[in-house]
Amino acid sequence: RRLESARTIVARSVDAHRAEWDRAIAAVASDARFVGFALDPRVGLVPLGADPRSGLEEFLALETHAGPLPARDESGALTLSDTSGVVLVLLPGGRFTMGAQNQDSTARGFDPEAVPSEAPAREEQVAPFFLAKHELTAEQWRTITGEDPARHVPPAAGMPPVAGRQPLRGVAWPECEQACRRVGLALPDEREWEYACRAGTDTP
């Protein structure tokens, strides 16, 4: 199955969606947030258009997907189902302040010793990159690995079952890294994660 997928992935993700790629490439080229960055067709991804709120281009990771391609509703939001794959957002690069400091915590009445120190805060630079829009779901894990995601998590009172679009939980980092690599993805590094979580804010 994986060999057949590898043999056809270029045709399924790039050749079959040439018009969508041309549109996405033109949209990124005209976006002031991506000055100096040229988007090329990425094997394994299918352009889904821009999110109506952020204006950022979104892409489907085809090897994580098991159903029809997701469409957008009248508001422009993606309609996702249990079989929908990982949606990646192309984020613009930039400089940002990474890390934290606890000097302000005493002024707010907090115990500085209780605040984890990520000091010193420092300037970092990231290039444009793709990041998943949502947590990996249980069904996406099943599509990627072929295994039951519930095997990692014993039933717990009050907790929803690990199934469908429930976020995956209980899986060790090395297993996640291996599964991502299998479908051409990777876990974000610390800089990428913090830059994305900041969502454009610039305070320490």
Side-chain angles (χ1 to χ4, degrees):
R1 183 181 65 83
R2 291 176 62 192
L3 178 59
E4 179 60 23
S5 175
R7 284 172 170 157
T8 62
I9 189 63
V10 173
R12 291 184 291 117
S13 62
V14 177
D15 297 342
H17 299 278
R18 184 64 63 180
E20 293 94 325
W21 274 111
D22 289 345
R23 186 211 55 79
I25 289 168
V28 170
S30 65
D31 190 332
R33 295 173 291 186
F34 290 90
V35 171
F37 173 77
L39 176 66
D40 295 316
R42 303 295 174 99
V43 173
L45 301 187
V46 173
L48 298 174
D51 177 88
R53 296 177 63 191
S54 70
L56 294 172
E57 294 294 318
E58 297 180 335
F59 303 80
L60 178 71
L62 201 55
E63 294 294 84
T64 67
H65 189 71
L69 294 181
R72 293 190 182 274
D73 62 21
E74 54 278 1
S75 72
L78 287 171
T79 55
L80 302 175
S81 67
D82 285 358
T83 59
S84 295
V86 173
V87 175
L88 299 172
V89 182
L90 178 60
L91 299 181
R95 295 192 67 79
F96 73 106
T97 302
M98 180 175 174
Q101 45 77 37
N102 60 15
Q103 281 80 1
D104 295 337
S105 55
T106 51
R108 300 193 190 107
F110 295 120
D111 176 8
E113 297 304 317
V115 180
S117 176
E118 294 176 283
R122 58 201 180 277
E123 289 293 307
E124 291 282 355
Q125 176 83 33
V126 293
F129 65 99
F130 295 91
L131 188 74
K133 188 173 186 176
H134 311 103
E135 295 126 324
L136 192 74
T137 69
E139 197 57 38
Q140 287 164 355
W141 180 261
R142 187 190 302 276
T143 299
I144 293 169
T145 66
E147 68 177 26
D148 182 1
R151 80 174 183 85
H152 296 280
V153 183
M159 291 292 288
V162 185
R165 289 198 58 75
Q166 286 289 327
L168 181 71
R169 62 182 190 271
V171 183
W173 187 90
E175 289 180 275
C176 292
E177 183 188 38
Q178 183 181 45
C180 285
R181 192 163 52 240
R182 181 180 294 180
V183 291
L185 302 176
L187 296 173
D189 65 29
E190 188 177 3
R191 288 185 315 141
E192 292 167 337
W193 178 251
E194 185 165 337
Y195 176 78
C197 288
R198 281 182 168 275
T201 59
D202 57 7
T203 53

